[in-house]
Amino acid sequence: MSHHSIVIPTKDKLFNLGEFFRPTPGNILTAVILTVGLIITIIRFTMGIGSVTNLSNTQPWGLWIGFDLLCGVALAAGGYFTTVACYVMGMKQFHSAVRPAITTAFLGYGFVVVALLYDLGHPLRLPFMFFFPGTTSVLFEVGLCVATYVTVLLIEFSVAPLEWLSSKYPVLIKWRKLVVHATIVLTIFGVTLSTLHQSSLGALYLIAPEKLHPLWYSPFMPMFFFVSSMAAGSSMVIFEGMFAHKGLHHYMDETHLREADGVVFSFARAASFILFAYFMLKLIDMLVQANLPYVFSGYGAWWLVEMLGFVLLPALLYAKGARDRNLTLCRIASANTVLGIVMNRFNVSMIAFNYNLPSAERYFPSIWEFCISIFVVTMIVTAYRFIIYHMPVLYEHPDFKDEH
Amino acid sequence: MKRRTFLTIMGSAGVVSALGTAKVAQAGPHTFPYYADSYGVLHDTTRCIGCRKCEEACNKVNHLPKPKKPFSDLTVCDTHRRTGEYEWTVVNKYKVNGKDVFRKLQCFHCNDPACASACFAKCFTKHPNGAVHYEGSQCVGCRYCMVACPFYVPGFQYDEAFDPLVQKCTFCEPLLMEGKLPGCVQACPKDALTFGRRSDLLRLARARMADNPGKYVNYVYGETDAGGTAWMVLSPAAGQLAASLTPDDAPLAGDEMKQLGLNTHLGHSPMGELTYGALGAVPMIVAFWPVLFGGAYAISKRREAMYKAEKDEKVKEAREDVAAAVDAAVRKIEETQGPGAADTARRAMTEALKARETECKCHGEDK
Ligand code: SF4
Ligand code: SF4
Ligand code: SF4
């Protein structure tokens, strides 16, 4: 129905920027956030990290790592989750979900790296990890995997911009063909890298058993991070879809719209199983580590909130939503899961971290740290919109129909 | 090509971590510590009077910025300070069984340091002289070393815009190389800090305990904690202070180490060992996942192919069936109505079939 209105950039009119300059509330808010963000960026890089953050020697990692890195990477897990479901498991009915998922994953990871530069004392020295590889460090593994995976995602994603630009530069079609042929190899490579760094984000904290509260510290943290990243991946596909349907409906073609609901219900069922599994893992881990007494403390209450309200509850909601084919319920469950993932990463990196210290030495992010995190999210959304307005992500390019 | 290099690097990461584990395994659980002949310092808190002379000396020999309050102000010891980027050592006052006891904090110069294991740019190295050396010129400023240090030692220059570095006690390596004592050790008026070979210091600590029954807790902090440290601490025991104990303090007796702010729950192996398992899994995943997912892919491809073959077979059968039926019908018509009518019938039937088939194709493929 609506695919007639899709503006497909052509040879003579490559750009479609009109959407950005309409004075909608969204556009105005975007402009304000980007301006503030730029100002803080200048302050950060001319006056030091201390000028804009509440970081200290006891809390060297704050919101920028806890949100931008830990949450960012987990929430970008939709990329590997969807490609594996579609290409490896052969669930072709998810095909229209692949490009949006790859796009968000690529943007997510790209901006994780951007956000990381704010947090590094010597951002320009990031490549030093390749010159002086600290192979005993989990962070080295994270860095290596993320660097490689960003490259893989770039290649996987490149199909969309190539199709966009090919009307003007037909040479690009060759490269596109190459990438399309390599899809399955890239997918398997991608899931391997994802497994590694998703889990090693959890492994980062293995080295600080005395700093992290026992209810969150576990030798199985790598596994917890990986399993919850799968839940995050499937939930993010549903969650983003919800917003895309609101704002970008007229950029979706019939196939996308027809398949969208099916994707939601399948992913909801998968997420429900994963969340149940995660719940059981955490529960057993708690019992095996004899942490039961901690459950009845203040932190224990918080732990129960996380486990019951943000793992078990969305698992049930998803199960019911998928069975009754209730779209709204599935979407609520996805928002619930996404919040739960953020909460979990915050707990590990900030709330339950340094739980032993007197409250005066504890950390709370400064307003500027929040601003930068919001800034990064806004940049992602803006970049996403740019891509949607120009490239065949939510629709199939007419020149390349039925070519996969 | 990219993939291959990556695998090589990943593989070597695994091997290196395995080597790391092997080194520990060689040392065995009870043969602590390696670097027994390296230097260390023993801090006897029963002798420390909280004069802050070591702080002052450290500030001076390392050319650190002067603090706001002068070193002669002893009240600062009351609040529990931590070491930081410009204070590489601090002396705090603790109540141990109701009595004031002072303890000096600084980098413990661990035998197998958590910071070194955590740094992804190899900035920290344990030198044979005992010092854990930090190389600022290759530091990325990620501060993972600070997350990793179980003693909350390293500080970061958050106020520095262009060259912020991690800072901590250096064991006064430049002085050591000149054959001199570290600044703080030189300055201590009470002999609370003893410099020497680590093995000698352990012997000395035992001797002090034996010579003064009841004076010390029978535990050398740092002998095995966190895998062993070059700087070690002796704590006063309840015995020496028992006389001054009020009944209220009595329950406190016995966990002097804790009261002295020392973490006794770090375990006896290096902190880095906690991550070796996860790192060791890397080559496994790199080797196994592609096989697993490749297999899954092959299965789903095969399932698809089988499904298609089955479908083709069915279609073929159906087509043959129809052809036979048509033939039979046409023969019947030929028998009863002659060859002309038969020809017309055959043509009509074939056309009808063709039309239906194309229609089916349009609808069927999409679903
Ligand atoms: S005390 Fe901390 S900073 Fe010093 S060597 Fe040990 S882990 Fe490193
Ligand atoms: S801050 Fe520097 S020394 Fe510390 S882990 Fe990062 S790169 Fe290594
Ligand atoms: S050894 Fe040197 S750097 Fe370390 S605390 Fe003593 S004076 Fe300071």
Side-chain angles (χ1 to χ4, degrees), chain B residues 316-335 342 345-350 353 356:
Chain B
K316 207 174 137 215
E317 261 171 35
R319 200 173 277 145
E320 274 164 8
D321 269 3
V322 170
V326 167
D327 258 359
V330 169
R331 218 167 296 130
K332 229 320 109 72
I333 293 173
E334 195 170 26
E335 267 169 31
R346 183 185 294 275
R347 215 175 301 127
M349 276 193 245
T350 325
L353 276 178
R356 248 191 87 207

Side-chain angles (χ1 to χ4, degrees), chain B residues 186-223:
Chain B
Q186 276 183 45
C188 182
K190 284 290 176 185
D191 245 348
L193 299 172
T194 313
F195 176 91
R197 300 233 177 248
R198 195 171 180 272
S199 44
D200 292 340
L201 292 176
L202 282 166
R203 255 191 302 274
L204 175 73
R206 301 261 177 258
R208 280 194 198 164
M209 286 172 191
D211 295 347
N212 303 278
K215 187 176 177 189
Y216 295 98
V217 174
N218 183 20
Y219 190 93
V220 185
Y221 190 87
E223 180 177 8

Side-chain angles (χ1 to χ4, degrees), chain B residues 227-284:
Chain B
T229 59
W231 289 52
M232 295 170 286
V233 184
L234 285 182
S235 161
Q240 178 216 17
L241 303 155
S244 65
L245 275 184
T246 62
D248 290 345
D249 295 327
L252 294 175
D255 56 355
E256 292 86 351
M257 291 281 166
K258 200 172 161 223
Q259 296 173 50
L260 204 49
L262 290 165
N263 188 347
T264 46
H265 296 288
L266 295 175
H268 304 297
S269 30
M271 310 311 287
E273 258 183 50
L274 293 165
T275 63
Y276 294 162
L279 283 172
V282 169
M284 296 293 178

Side-chain angles (χ1 to χ4, degrees), chain B residues 57-58 61-62 88-89 104 106 169-172 182-184 231:
Chain B
C58 180
V61 300
N62 294 302
W88 296 352
T89 185
K104 175 184 180 296
Q106 74 296 306
C169 156
T170 60
F171 209 156
C172 284
C184 52
W231 289 52

Side-chain angles (χ1 to χ4, degrees), chain B residues 16-355:
Chain B
V16 171
S17 75
L19 286 178
T21 325
K23 182 181 108 191
V24 174
Q26 225 173 37
H30 295 298
T31 51
F32 282 106
Y34 14 102
Y35 290 126
D37 275 340
S38 66
Y39 292 115
V41 169
L42 182 68
H43 178 38
D44 188 336
T45 57
T46 66
R47 298 181 177 189
C48 184
I49 55 169
C51 64
R52 300 186 70 206
K53 288 278 189 283
C54 51
E55 283 188 44
E56 189 173 11
C58 180
N59 181 281
K60 207 162 123 206
V61 300
N62 294 302
H63 313 289
L64 299 172
K66 292 271 165 281
K68 278 196 209 95
K69 289 189 184 164
F71 288 105
S72 53
D73 183 351
L74 300 185
T75 58
V76 295
C77 297
D78 296 348
T79 44
H80 285 181
R81 297 168 297 153
R82 294 192 184 283
T83 55
E85 61 276 33
Y86 303 122
E87 293 171 304
W88 296 352
T89 185
V90 294
V91 179
N92 286 337
K93 184 160 87 185
Y94 300 86
K95 279 248 186 283
V96 177
N97 296 332
K99 262 269 190 173
D100 288 346
V101 179
F102 296 92
R103 179 165 74 88
K104 175 184 180 296
L105 285 68
Q106 74 296 306
C107 172
F108 277 83
H109 297 280
C110 307
N111 290 342
D112 195 345
C115 54
S117 151
C119 178
F120 73 150
K122 272 213 176 107
C123 296
F124 290 99
T125 23
K126 174 82 178 175
H127 283 181
N129 63 11
V132 172
H133 175 82
Y134 165 73
E135 188 50 58
S137 64
Q138 63 198 58
C139 173
V140 181
C142 67
R143 308 189 292 286
Y144 186 40
C145 49
M146 296 164 69
V147 172
C149 172
F151 303 108
Y152 289 97
V153 163
F156 186 73
Q157 296 172 320
Y158 289 106
D159 55 345
E160 168 64 48
F162 300 108
D163 188 23
L165 293 176
V166 169
Q167 300 282 288
K168 67 170 191 70
C169 156
T170 60
F171 209 156
C172 284
E173 267 200 299
L175 292 182
L176 288 190
M177 284 191 279
E178 288 173 36
K180 290 186 188 146
L181 288 175
C184 52
V185 177
Q186 276 183 45
C188 182
K190 284 290 176 185
D191 245 348
L193 299 172
T194 313
F195 176 91
R197 300 233 177 248
R198 195 171 180 272
S199 44
D200 292 340
L201 292 176
L202 282 166
R203 255 191 302 274
L204 175 73
R206 301 261 177 258
R208 280 194 198 164
M209 286 172 191
D211 295 347
N212 303 278
K215 187 176 177 189
Y216 295 98
V217 174
N218 183 20
Y219 190 93
V220 185
Y221 190 87
E223 180 177 8
T224 62
D225 298 81
T229 59
W231 289 52
M232 295 170 286
V233 184
L234 285 182
S235 161
Q240 178 216 17
L241 303 155
S244 65
L245 275 184
T246 62
D248 290 345
D249 295 327
L252 294 175
D255 56 355
E256 292 86 351
M257 291 281 166
K258 200 172 161 223
Q259 296 173 50
L260 204 49
L262 290 165
N263 188 347
T264 46
H265 296 288
L266 295 175
H268 304 297
S269 30
M271 310 311 287
E273 258 183 50
L274 293 165
T275 63
Y276 294 162
L279 283 172
V282 169
M284 296 293 178
I285 291 177
V286 169
F288 187 54
W289 250 220
V291 178
L292 186 74
F293 285 95
Y297 174 66
I299 289 172
S300 76
K301 262 269 123 86
R302 193 173 143 67
R303 206 190 310 120
E304 234 170 65
M306 268 161 59
Y307 178 74
K308 193 165 174 291
E310 217 170 87
K311 206 170 126 197
D312 287 351
E313 180 73 12
K314 283 244 171 70
V315 168
K316 207 174 137 215
E317 261 171 35
R319 200 173 277 145
E320 274 164 8
D321 269 3
V322 170
V326 167
D327 258 359
V330 169
R331 218 167 296 130
K332 229 320 109 72
I333 293 173
E334 195 170 26
E335 267 169 31
T336 54
Q337 298 173 29
D343 269 354
T344 326
R346 183 185 294 275
R347 215 175 301 127
M349 276 193 245
T350 325
E351 250 160 46
L353 276 178
K354 230 181 226 151

